């Protein structure tokens, strides 16, 4: 029976055309984010099985999980548990086109735009192509992450501009974008029907997405993986694809199924809904390439066979993505009991306490828009907080919304005051306090960006310089800002 399925899938792959493309990116690293790369590898596997040629699939994944010291199955990744059996390995290193530091905003956007200056393959689609994009990672209000810190975050206005450029360059007939991040519903505020793009997101603009197959469920062949195997939204759309005939099930039917099964976050849809009656195989495969009756029969039979032998069990051991680092580290302590694991857990607890105290000093404006509006200000604030407080975490990203609220509802002076309040919490030097009016009184938000981002440099001047040197630095800043 296995040879029957393999033969069917091989026949489908042979019949594929070049009018179907897929771009898949897992935007995180470290073992606590196991699920993201397991998701992306599983997605690649589905595209290949449904007939998209390998050269038409572009996969960006950091590739630090399969051979991690924490992985009980080196060289393998699993997106679904199999407690007493061998499980289904979804990992294949040859299916990665961008890895390590290449997994970044620049390459992702260049891939979408067909820009050959990227460090690997890019889309070569045209006005007749159907393009499928799947992105999985962490996110916050108006942004999705990459492994490289806030300077490399992808903001909603940047993604919108890229999709618009793709349309202007006639790079697709229709495009489907599935997005798995917290607050993913904040990433498509301007997407409308005219762009022939349909997007489905794991959550709305304000709530978290959830990890699945976590804790005691994360077992394969008697071993606990020690991290969630998948994300709830992602496993729902992928397992639904595998359980159904992709030449029959429509985008609308898949949306309804995923909406019902993703019961921990409100799945959303955006853009053009006119082509949701098309089969999912037009995007997650190449159904129109199956020209012969035998190919169609074999394809449908393979899915019916999978549906019979692979009974899906819904995950009930779920973890809020904001809390997954805590979940991972707690389980490491319970499993290993080592001083290293205990120290890592303590560090995470301290981080959460600090972040809570830092942002709880700011009230949430009930009149603030649900999706960010002032992205220049938001970029500046997010970058500045990282400069002072260290890299954003899955947990701290939930507070990006407070920064967006400040940007969208406050004057430049109030924004400056909020920034100084954060700086004073992190590095409460008397020198910074005394001279904070340099920042507060600045009328230009661009000048504020220049000074505010480097507030730590002010602390260094205060702590290491003579009064004369401090005065000279003060005059230099004043001259730059036009204060004198």
């Amino acid at each position: 029976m296995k040879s029957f399925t393999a033969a069917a899938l091989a026949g489908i792959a042979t019949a594929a055309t070049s009018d179907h493309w897929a771009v898949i990116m897992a935007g995180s690293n470290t073992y606590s984010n196991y699920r993201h790369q397991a998701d992306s590898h599983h997605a690649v596997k589905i595209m290949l099985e449904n007939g998209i040629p390998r050269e038409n699939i572009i996969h960006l994944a950091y590739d630090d999980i399969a051979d991690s010291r924490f992985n009980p199955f080196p060289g393998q990744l699993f997106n679904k548990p199999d407690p007493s059996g061998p499980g289904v390995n979804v990992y294949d290193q040859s299916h990665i086109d961008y890895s390590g530091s290449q997994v970044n905003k620049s390459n992702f956007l260049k891939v979408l735009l067909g820009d050959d200056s990227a460090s690997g393959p890019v889309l070569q689609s045209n006005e007749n192509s159907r393009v499928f994009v799947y992105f999985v990672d962490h996110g916050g209000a108006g942004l999705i992450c990459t492994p490289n810190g806030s300077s490399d975050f992808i903001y909603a206005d940047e993604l919108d501009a890229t999709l618009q450029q793709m349309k202007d360059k006639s790079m697709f007939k229709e495009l489907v974008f599935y997005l798995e991040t917290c607050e993913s519903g904040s990433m498509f505020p301007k997407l409308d029907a005219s762009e022939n793009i349909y997007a489905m997101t794991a959550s709305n603009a304000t709530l978290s997405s959830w990890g699945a197959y976590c804790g005691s469920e994360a077992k394969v062949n008697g071993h606990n993986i020690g991290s969630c195997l998948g994300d709830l939204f992602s496993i729902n759309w992928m397992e639904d694809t595998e359980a159904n005939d992709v030449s029959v099930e429509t985008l609308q039917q898949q949306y309804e199924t995923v909406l019902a099964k993703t019961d921990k976050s409100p799945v959303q849809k955006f853009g053009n809904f006119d082509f949701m009656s098309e089969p999912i195989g037009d995007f997650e495969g190449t159904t129109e390439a199956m020209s012969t009756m035998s190919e169609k029969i074999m394809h449908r039979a393979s899915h019916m066979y999978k549906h019979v032998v692979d009974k899906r069990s819904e995950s009930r051991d779920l973890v809020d993505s904001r809390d997954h680092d805590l979940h991972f580290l707690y389980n490491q302590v319970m499993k290993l009991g080592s001083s290293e694991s205990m120290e890592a857990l303590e560090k995470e607890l301290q981080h959460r306490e600090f972040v809570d105290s830092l942002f709880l000093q700011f009230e949430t404006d009930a009149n603030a828009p649900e999706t960010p509006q002032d992205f220049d200000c938001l970029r500046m604030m997010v970058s500045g907080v990282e400069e002072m407080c260290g890299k954003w975490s899955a947990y701290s990203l939930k507070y990006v919304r407070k920064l967006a609220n400040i940007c969208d509802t406050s004057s430049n002076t109030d924004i400056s005051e909020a920034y100084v309040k954060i700086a004073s919490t992190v590095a409460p030097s008397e020198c910074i306090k005394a001279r904070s009016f340099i920042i507060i009184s600045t009328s230009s938000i661009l000048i504020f960006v220049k000074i505010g981002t480097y507030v730590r440099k002010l602390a260094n001047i205060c702590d290491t310089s003579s009064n004369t040197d401090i005065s000279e630095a003060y005059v230099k800043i004043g001259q730059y800002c036009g204060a004198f």
Side-chain angles (χ1 to χ4, degrees), residues 27-41:
S28 67
N29 59 356
T30 75
Y31 195 77
S32 66
N33 292 313
Y34 179 108
R35 64 198 186 280
H36 295 151
Q37 291 181 45
D39 288 336
S40 71
H41 277 279

Side-chain angles (χ1 to χ4, degrees), residues 465-484:
S465 305
S466 65
N467 288 343
T468 300
D469 290 339
I470 291 173
S471 297
E472 288 177 357
Y474 174 72
V475 170
K476 187 181 291 184
I477 293 171
Q479 289 173 335
Y480 182 84
C481 296
F484 300 133

Side-chain angles (χ1 to χ4, degrees), residues 127-414:
E127 68 275 8
N128 298 314
S129 302
R130 289 185 171 93
V131 178
F132 179 77
V133 183
Y134 169 56
F135 186 103
V136 54
D137 190 16
H138 297 291
L143 64 86
I144 53 180
C145 301
T146 74
N148 305 304
S150 66
S151 63
D152 205 52
F153 287 172
I154 302 167
Y155 288 83
D157 62 334
E158 297 169 325
L159 182 59
D160 179 71
T162 299
L163 294 175
Q164 184 61 51
Q165 288 180 65
M166 291 178 70
K167 178 179 180 294
D168 294 343
K169 293 171 66 176
S170 300
M171 293 188 67
F172 57 85
K173 177 182 179 181
E174 295 159 343
L175 185 149
V176 170
F177 200 128
Y178 284 4
L179 179 58
E180 169 86 64
T181 69
C182 292
E183 302 178 64
S184 45
S186 66
M187 290 301 294
F188 300 103
K190 295 184 179 180
L191 196 60
D192 59 47
S194 67
E195 295 175 81
N196 249 27
I197 299 171
Y198 158 62
M200 180 166 66
T201 63
S203 189
N204 63 10
T206 62
L207 297 177
S208 301
S209 62
W210 287 69
Y213 298 138
C214 305
S216 60
E217 288 183 351
K219 285 185 177 180
V220 175
N221 205 18
H223 296 275
N224 194 295
I225 300 297
S227 192
C228 294
L229 302 186
D231 289 281
L232 184 60
F233 166 81
S234 293
I235 63 168
N236 282 338
W237 78 257
M238 286 189 278
E239 291 181 5
D240 177 70
T241 297
E242 292 179 318
N244 290 282
D245 182 349
V246 297
S247 67
V248 175
E249 180 170 4
T250 66
L251 291 169
Q252 178 64 35
Q253 289 172 321
Q254 182 155 93
Y255 167 74
E256 291 171 356
T257 297
V258 174
L259 177 67
K261 288 183 173 293
T262 310
D263 54 1
K264 300 296 286 186
S265 62
V267 171
Q268 305 277 284
K269 62 179 180 178
F270 300 86
N272 189 332
F273 308 143
D274 291 343
F275 59 91
M276 290 182 69
S277 60
E278 293 186 26
I280 57 175
D282 279 356
F283 302 93
E284 300 164 32
T286 58
T287 55
E288 64 186 24
M290 292 177 286
S291 56
T292 69
M293 180 62 70
S294 62
E295 286 169 350
K296 292 178 181 178
I297 292 172
M298 295 290 275
H299 182 69
R300 294 184 67 184
S302 69
H303 278 279
M304 293 180 99
Y305 173 69
K306 281 186 177 182
H307 186 65
V308 170
V309 301
D310 186 18
K311 296 294 184 181
R312 292 181 297 160
S313 58
E314 293 186 7
S315 173
R316 288 296 90 197
D317 202 336
L318 308 170
V319 176
D320 187 322
S321 291
R322 297 287 187 227
D323 297 324
H324 192 270
D325 286 344
L326 179 63
H327 173 268
F328 169 74
L329 294 169
Y330 174 82
N331 280 287
Q332 283 295 300
V333 170
M334 298 302 292
K335 178 181 179 180
L336 302 175
S338 64
S339 59
E340 179 187 5
S341 61
M342 189 68 75
E343 288 171 5
L345 178 60
E346 176 62 20
K347 185 177 180 180
E348 173 66 15
L349 294 173
Q350 291 174 350
H351 166 70
R352 292 164 72 99
E353 290 169 357
F354 166 73
V355 169
D356 288 342
S357 64
L358 180 65
F359 286 102
L360 287 176
Q361 58 186 317
F362 300 104
E363 296 293 332
T364 300
D365 191 327
N367 297 317
E370 188 173 69
T371 57
Q373 306 296 309
D374 188 343
F375 284 99
D376 288 336
C377 174
L378 182 59
R379 272 184 280 270
M380 176 272 298
M381 293 288 277
V382 168
S383 176
V385 170
E386 181 169 277
E387 174 77 16
M388 292 183 288
C389 306
K391 290 186 70 171
W392 290 87
S393 67
Y395 182 75
S396 62
L397 280 166
K398 71 179 184 178
Y399 289 115
V400 168
R401 177 160 301 282
K402 288 208 172 187
L403 300 182
N405 288 349
I406 292 169
C407 287
D408 293 337
T409 62
S410 305
S411 65
N412 285 353
T413 298
D414 290 339

